[in-house]
Every structure is written in structure tokens, then in C-alpha cells.
Amino acid sequence: IFVCKFIKMDTIKYNSVNSDPNACPKKGVLKQTNRVDLTSRPRLQILSSPVLRSGPVSVAKPSKHLFNSVFDGVAHPNKAALSLKAKPNLKQLWLPPGVSGRIYDSPKTLVAASQAPQASQTRGGGEGPAVKLKNLLSESVKRESKLVTGRLDNGMEYVILPNKLPPKRFEAHLEIHAGSVDEQPDEQGMAHLVEHVTFLGSRKRENLLGTGARANAYTDFHHTVFHVHAPLTGSVGENMIPRVLEALREVAFEPQFLEERIEKERKAVTAEAQMMNTIEYRVDCQLLQFLHAENNLSCRFPIGHMDQVQRWTREQLLKFWGKWYFPANATLYLVGDFERDAKDVVSWVNDCFGRIPAPRVGSPLPSATFSPSDMAASWISKRAEGGSKASSLFTSLMGGGANSGGAGAGGQNTAANAAEGNVATPPLKTKHSVRPPVEHLFGYGSLAPATAVPSQVPISVFRHPLLQQFMLTLFCKLPIQPMTRMGDLRVLLMLRIILSVFQFRINGRYVQADPPFQAISLDVSDSSREGCAVSTLTITAEPSGWAGAVRVAVEESRRVQQHGLTEGELSRYLQAILRDSSQLAGQADKIPSIDTLNFVMEGLSCGHVVMSHRDAHEALLKVAETVTLSDVNALCRSVMAFAAFYGQEEELVQEAAGNPAAFAGLGPTRCTSVVACLPAYVDNEGHSISQGAVSGRGANLNPASGHLDADTIDLEQIKSQMKQQEEQEAKAAPPGARTFDLPSEEIIKALRADGLTVTPPLDIELPSVLLSDKEVAELVLSRRPSFAPVRVGTRSMVHPSTCPNTGVVQRRLANGIYVNYRHTDNEPSGGLIRVLFNGGRLAEKVGAAADGFGAVAVGVRALSESGAVGRWSREQVEMFCVSNLVNCALDSDEENIVLDVHFVVDNGGMKSAFQFLHLFLDQPVWDDHAVTRAKAAFLTGQKLTQKSLERASVERVMSAMLGPDRCFRDPTPEELQALTLDGIKQRLSSLMHTGNMEVEVVGDFDPRQLEEYLLTYLGTVRPQPSPLPITSHPLKFRNPPRPERHQRWHLQDSDERACAYIGGRAPVRWGPINGLAGANHLGVINTSSITPSAIAASLERDAQPLGPLVGSVLPPVGEKAIMTNATRQAVTAARRAHPLFRSVILGLLAEIINSRLFTTVRDTLGLTYDVDFETTMFDRIRYSWFMVHVTSHPSQIEAALNASASVLRDVAAQPISRHELLRAKTTLLTRHDSDLKDNNYWIGLLSHLQNPLVPHKVLDCLRDLKAMYECATVEDVSLLYAQFDLRDDAIFTCVGTSGSKNPLEAATK
């Protein structure tokens, strides 16, 4: 930015940076006033500075950041003038304080005369506030000092960053800069298939299994990534870093490309495409298609064309690999706890990857007989003879430059020609300088049709019968602005404030009676995978309320754009963001390596400077002091323009030209695309309709939205959409429904909102506290809180000491609340509170009634919708929580009502959290409108479930198993209609009180302060004893006729998909060993007595209430190779009598079965891409079941189902090996050690430790968890496996298919 500072009447001091000899010198003082002529620079544009509010005129290139501004200086007596030929429509120009000016029309020139210096400016050449601000914002941000980057001689880049969490583990990600956008028209899906073949064909990658390492891979638009999470030390003490690097080298640069592997992965990719081909992904497909209509991002989805995938030969795959998989087109990321200097890590990287020669431009691509692994072995042999021969070998096989369609630049000369001396040696291949290699049309600047998106882009419409909601998405694409300077950080800070305020205002509109929308969200984010920044406004609503929803979104967007923020909003959110930043800085050493690596990879890809969290916080504090309301509101006018004034872009551009100071950044934004996703049919009143079965368990209320989740969208969907739409519209509407006919013109009219005027926002009173000191004192005086005795072993103590084995402290308040807490430094200055109420969905009454089925689920949702407590409104409570960094989430499951409260310990954060908790428990606010919204949310979720192949199939299995008992599924419309506010309130009040409540607290707090808050705020909650056990209706597994036990159904759709489920009863997680079939009280197994009838009797015993734990819990002891039979029996009996025995063994069994399912059904048979096994792990419910889920193509789903069932049954014929058990132990123990650094994991460990309804979970379980995994034997796992009855007449199955034709009907014919 050119900055003028007027020193005296005839002198201007200026600073500029320019290499042009005709431009201003870098520093200087002209003895006369300065004329700045822009006639020779017609592409430059006059802009005001968005950050220097007391500064002067600035000039910038439209497509560059404002800091890149220069212009020429020419002496002119007594005046400062700017030629304005480049801005013919300019009417006003902002001038520095104390300077007057006038625009002359002929020639178009601004002449500004200087006056005396202002009081705020410094005489004698010193710097005033404006210059100091300019200097601060132009400073480069500080790069992460521990970040090590470099490039090997062969061009491969590496990024290394030490990170302490999780300890003694690391992440290694190898990024190949080639993705789906690099594919040719006949290669669509090849990047993804090559990823599969190279990754799963690697022996060294496979040999990492069992070491505690986890590996995977994925393909995206712009890159392919192979990643490994591994321990620092292997099972025999070896250093794992070199071993992991060797595996990644083999994956990327030494693959086998065996025909057998290629055929397997064809099947896997096809199954993956079928699995992900849901309506949600089809919506994503449409959003991406219209968002990036001008480039290949709209038609090069990673999953590709399945017809092409089936045709490619090995030679074609090899050529693609040879074209893109070379060192200079790869970047290696290593983040973790290396326990050594980064130089050592660099040395390992160089030793492993540095020996891969760099290919040159123009080298031939691999032939069909080429073997990359043979090439590598040959190269190693040649290297021993002489390095040059090895290099030429690799070059001849790994070539393919720009002229043959590969990456990099250079001529057509070959290495052979160079060797003969005919021409110069071709240059080395390099990656594209721009990733992804696409061009965008951006939503800012000129309206010239050749260079930008035109004014008022059309509405693109996607209709589908499976859609239930109206969803409108407005996009604005902008260039990524690299975060390299303090000014960039300042803009990001202001942007975050704007987004937060907008969402807060939308939330305020939502709590009003009968809101016309279900959700309105605004997002602005950089996307390295798409090579641009995208602003997104998403509106979802019932079809009948679409116009009102659009009006609310436009109205609030226009309010922010025109009137900006209030002083109160700016102050509150600025302070909240700074507090959040401070906490993040304090947790800098507690962020997992995977999160750090993803942050670094994304940041570097976007061109940002990677900063440490502490440095970022210090920088944020500096720029926060410079943020003013006028600056933020200028950014509002630019950022919100695309959503506020659709179709009025030309007027905004003219306004910006006439008053550039009113806009910041790139100026007013505009829509680059608008996509409407509409249901094909609605009922006669315009509401969404439902078809098919009743709802399934759980409701996903989040609509498919955003443009970033298209990794596995099948491109065939795009080509079939128009035909599909015509076919669906040609069909008659379902009974009681009509076609939802919404013309684009109506949406345009709603978005334009001509004549809509908005008033400035009103500030909301922010409470500094929710309970005053006087109110707290009165509560303490009247209710006299105290601690009550806690049962510890055989004794009762009021203040038991900290458990030496677990670090857990247990308390009980006199009003009945149980408390378990543990101090951790996992999140410095952060903490988490969980409040648990016994009951959950199982405590709901059966049938339609005022307090009947659904009362708990709907009531919990209604309390969350209300958000008000005590005398404070939802808006006040939300703002209070935002300002104090308190985050609350209320939910219910089958067993519990759960309230989680995240808080910051410092600056009154923990006190604020406990004040909220007191009011929530003691003075909740019930709102009839909130109940109405909660009912509507469940009804919408139910309708979405009915159109979901997976959810509807699960519901059929649950219905067959449990029959009319639907406590694990959502209420019907009739049951929802019957619920009333009073009934819901009565039902929840019987559960949510002190006599039925346990509180867990984990965090970096002062224990003395925590106990003070426990007494003051929780101890003063009104006491209410609870009768135990909690009333609940009984469960009973059914024995239905075979057609109901094994079901097949079809969902009419244009796309073919299929899924299958296998379910059945399973042993519960808590219970004595003698409750299992074939085992006595000593844990001795009699396999001959494990019969179907014995298993059934065992499961019925499990269903009985669990009695108290008898006797003390002994720590488990592992079996040794040499011990007496008596000792071995005693050790086995003690281990199997441990309360954790069932939980631990069931976890190991699930891990082993999942490994076998993957190996057999997916890898060997190629019938699926996704298959998994799990058991329910309830704490109080005395019933449990298992479920296997598998997806495939309709033509293969029966085979996939049968193969999955065979894997389950074959465990009996092919007993579990010690190697399988060891691998499962390593995986689960590694996960446990890593999760111990997570407060959420600790909260789960503490839950129910004092719950009378979970009597077998005691502190000794936490003490012995790791030892139980280590001591488990193959015989233990076999014993639990034997409790599963897997006969046809004991399991339940359901196969769901979708497509235009029902395969069952075709089979019958």
C-alpha cells in the first residue's frame, strides 16, 4: 500500500516497493508535492485500504492482495494528484485526514492539497499511528520453528514436525500429487484404482500388521495419499520409522501390479462405488457439478467411471503409474514423537527415498512386461556397479513428461539422444506448479463475461423422489489468500467474528415460534483440493416453508451486509476468540499428531505459513488491538454481498467504485452458482411425504450439504440425473401426493427480495454471571450443601483419598448426586463435565400418550431447543456460554440422558460452567414452541430414514428381533402427535433429578476449587430421591416365522445399490462367568455342554437383574509356560471372575472377526468394500445383540451375505490362532494408550463408577483394564464365541436392494 504522510505544506514522505526504475525509490522525500500518474498502468484499480482507516489513497491490482501495491511518482508543484483514467466511473475517493481534494473530469484526475499535520502525527519524519499499523500488518508471520522442510536430490520433498502426542508414536503420510483431475477422459477412476493396487499389493505394508501400526490410503481430486500410524518401536525393539518408510517406498515406487491384485481391486472399487452411492452423495455430486462447471472438478470425481474401471489393462495402469509416481511429484510428511533430532529423521528419509532416481522429461512410459519391483531390484544391483547405469535404467522406465501428458515441463528430447551427444540432457520431471491444475471463475471484480461469472447466475435444480427437504445452496468462489502476513491474520480474525455473529443471529430467529426453516448455515473456507476458497450459504426447510426460509436467510445476510455488527457483538466475540486462542496455545503440546499433520498438509497446500499455536496466539493478540468496528463492517459489506444481493451485482460493483472505502478485501462478492435440491413429491399441503417402512433406529437430521465430501461419488450419477428426473416426473405421484413444482423464477424472486429493507440489529444484554454472589449466598444458606459418605470397599468415608492406581477421586453430595473426577493435563486449562441420568429411551412408556413413547427423546431435544435457564433467555445463555467458552450438548440414548459441558478453567470459565449446570438442573425452562420444533425434527428424521436403504434395513432386523417393542427406534407420527408439553415435562422430571444422577469431571483444574464449585452449585440443587430401579419396559427376543426372520426388500430408485445385515443375540458385557454356557463358577469350560439350549438358557440368565459384586476384585495374572495345573486353574478362575472379563474378551473377539471378514469377504472374494461386525455394549440393559453390516452390488449381495455368515461360523472350524489374538491385543492396547490422552475417553472410563444400577463397574476395572487385555487367552475368546448361536433359525437377516428393477421379481420370473 502506498502510504503518504504529510509532513509540511510542500513535502510528502512516502514508502513503496518496486523494481521499476521509473517508479518511486524505496525511500525518499520529495521537496515538492507528488503527482502519481496511472495512465501508463491501465490494469491497476483505485481501491481504499480496508485496514488503514486513517490512511491515504491506495492502489492495488484487482487479482492481488492489497499489500502488493505500487505506483509511479512524478514531481508536480504544490499538489498531489492521481490520474483516474483507469476508473472512469469513480465519483468519490477516500483521502487521509487533513487533506482536501477534488475530482476533475477532464482529464480524470484527483488533485489533493496538503494541510498542516494532525495532532496524532509525528513531526520531523517520525511514524504516526497509520504508518505503525501499516508496518505491523505488513510483517511476515512467524513460521513454526520446529518445522523442517527440504527436498532430496531427486526432487522429492519432505516435511517433518516433532509432536509429543501420542507419545512414542508417529504419522507418516506419502502424498503423490496426482488425483482424479489429472485423468484423461478415458482414465476416469484410474488414480483411485492405481491407489488400490499399489497399496494393497505391498508385502511390506502388509507386514506392518501386528506391529501396532495402522495403514490406509485415499484418492482425492488433487492427490493420492498413503498413510501409516505406527509405534516408534516394534514388537522386538526395532526402530519402526525406517520400516514404515520402506513400506511407503514399496507402495508408491516399487509396486507389483499383479494381475490377480488388479482384478481384486476392480471388484473392490466397484463395491465401494455401490456402497457410497446414497442420496446424500448424489446431492454432493450435484453441488460439485454446478459449483465447478467451468473446470474438471465438475466431472472428474475420484471414484470414476465403473465401465472404464472394468476395461483397463495392466499396461494402461502401469503407464498412469509411471506418468505420475516419481520422486519430484511426491511429498513425505512425518509428524510424531521421534525421540531424536530431526536431522536423524531426515537421514532416514534420504537413505530410503534418496536412492530412487529422478526421471527426465520425454522418457518412455512402462510397457506391459515392466515390473516396478524388478526394476528396483535391478537398480540396486546396478548401483553396486555404477550409479549412472542405475539412473538411466530408472529414467528409461519412469519417464513421461509434459509433451506426453505427464507432469513437468520440457522438450521432447530423450535420454538416449542426450547420451549420444546430439542434444542437451532433458530436464528432470517436476510436478505441476498449480495444484489442482484447474482454472476458476471467481465471484468478485469485473463483470466482464470473458473474465468472470456473469451477473445473476441461473438456478440449477436437482429433483429426486428420495429427497425430503428443500435445500438451497449459494456459492461464491474466490482465490485463496495465503496467510503469510499479520494483515492476513487480521482479516481471518475479523472473518471468524462475522461468521459467529451471523450464526448467532440465525439461532435467535430459529427459537421464534414456528420458524420457517430447519437450518441456515454460512461457511467461508479455503480448499486445497479444489484450489479455491468457497463461501457457502445453505438453507434447508420443509418444502411448504421454502419461501419463508429464503426470506430469513436473505434478510439476515442483508442486515449483516448493510448494517454490520454492533459494538457489543464485536467486543464479545473478539474476546471469546482470543480466549479460545489462548486455550489452544496452552494445549499446543497436547494436539494429536494426525490432527497436526492434517493441519500442516492443508496449510502448506493453500500457501499459508504454518505457525505454532503459541506464536499464532501472540500474533492474534497484536492484530486484535487494531480491529475496529468500521474495519469489520467494511469486510461485512464485501463478504456478505453474494448472499444479500443476488441478482444485483452490477449495482454493488458501481457502489464499490463510487465508495471503495465502504468495502474491504476483494470488494463485493457475488454468487458463482446456486443449486436447489428439491423433493420430487410433496403432500397436498406442500409438506414432505414418506414412503416405505416405519422409521429405523436413530435419526440423522443433518441434510447432505457442502461441497467438500465427494471422495467416492460415482460419476455415472451426473450423466443419469436428467434422464432420471424425466423418468421420475413422468411417473404418477404416490397416493396422497403431488409433484413439487417450484419454478426457478420463484426462487430467483425470493433471493432478489426486491424492496426488502432491514433495520439495524439490536444489541443483547450480556449477563456477566448467571447467578449473582447474593443469589449464591442465599442458596448456600438455605440448602446447606455438604458431602455425604462414599462407599469404598467395605468402608464408608466422606472424603476418600485419591485412588493411587487410577488417580480418580469419588464424592457424593448430600442431595444424592454421585461425583467421580480426575485431574489430567490432556487439555491444559480445559475440562469436561458429564451429567448422567439413568433412564433414557428404555424409560419411555409404550404407546401413544401425553407422556408416552418418545417423551424422553423429544423432551431432551426440546430442552436443547429451548436453551433458556432461570430468568435468562436462550440468546443470553448462548452469548454467555460463547463469551466464557462453555460448550453444552444434551442428548439421550437407550440407557441414559447425557449432558456434556466443555469448559475453560481459567478466567472464570469453570465457574460459568457450574452456574449454567445449577440453573439447568434447578430451573430448566420448558417452551411449547421448542417441543413443536423437536417433534418436527423427529418427523423429518423419520422421513429421511424411510428413504434410506441402510436405515430401513436395520429397522426390519430390529423389528424381527424385538417385535412391537420399539424402544430402540424413533416414535411414529401418531406417537409424536399424542405427546404434550406437560406429559413430556412430567416424564423427564421423574428422571432428571439429584437422586438419579452421576457427574463425571475430567480436566486441568485445581481439585480444591472443583470441590468448592461442586458444593456451591451442584450441592444446592433441590434434592429429590429416586426409587430404584428406574421403571422400564422389558425386552424380549422373538422367534418369528422364517419369512420374517430372513427378509428381502426393494427400494425403488434409479441407482443400483445393496446392503445386508445379520443380527442375533449376544452375551451382555457385565455378568459372572457361571452365567455363560459351558462354564462353572471357577471358569472351567465344558465344551460338550455348550448346546443351543444351553446358550438360550445362558442368555435368559443374562437378562435377569445384575446383583451386587461379591468379594474383592483381584488383579489378573498372566499364564506362564511353566506353572502347575493347580496354579494355572487358579489364575484362569481369577481372570474369568474379573468384572471386566466379558467386556475385554468381546472387544478382542470383535477385532478378530472384523479382521477375518475383511480378509475373506473383501480381499479374497472381492464381494464388498465395506463389512463390519459389532456387538452392543450396554451397561444397564440386560440384553445384547450383534450386527454384521455388508454392502455390495445387487447381483452380489446374496453372495456377500453368505460369505459373511460363513466367516462367523467358520471360527468354530478354524479356531482363533495366537497370532490373531496377539494382533488384536496390540491394536486395542495401542488404541487404549492413545485414547488415555483424550478427556472424552476418560469420561467414559469414569461413567457409572458409583451407579447402583451398574454394580460391577468399580475402580478396580480401571486399574486392571490393560492387564486384562494382556492376560487374555485364546481359550477365553473361544469361550465367549461359543455363546453366539449362529444357526439359521437363531439369526436374523435382511437384504435391501435399490434400483429401477426389483431383483427378487426378476429371480421369480
Side-chain angles (χ1 to χ4, degrees), residues 35-42 44-47 57-59 71 80-95 101-112 657-658 660:
R35 176 184 176 88
V36 183
D37 187 359
L38 299 183
T39 57
S40 62
R41 296 181 178 227
L44 293 182
Q45 185 178 22
I46 302 293
L47 297 176
V57 177
S58 63
V59 181
F71 53 103
L82 290 176
S83 171
L84 303 180
K85 284 187 176 181
K87 205 70 176 174
N89 295 322
L90 187 64
K91 299 298 182 184
Q92 299 178 18
L93 194 63
W94 178 65
L95 295 171
R102 182 175 180 183
I103 297 177
Y104 294 89
D105 290 333
S106 183
K108 195 78 172 181
T109 305
L110 166 72
V111 177

Side-chain angles (χ1 to χ4, degrees), residues 847-856 858-860 862 926-932 934-935 974-988:
D851 63 341
F853 189 75
V856 171
V858 174
V860 166
W926 290 93
D927 179 17
D928 205 8
H929 296 307
V931 173
T932 300
K935 288 182 179 181
E974 294 74 21
E975 289 163 337
L976 288 171
Q977 183 66 30
L979 294 172
T980 66
L981 175 62
D982 290 339
I984 290 171
K985 181 179 178 181
Q986 179 182 356
R987 173 58 55 185
L988 261 69

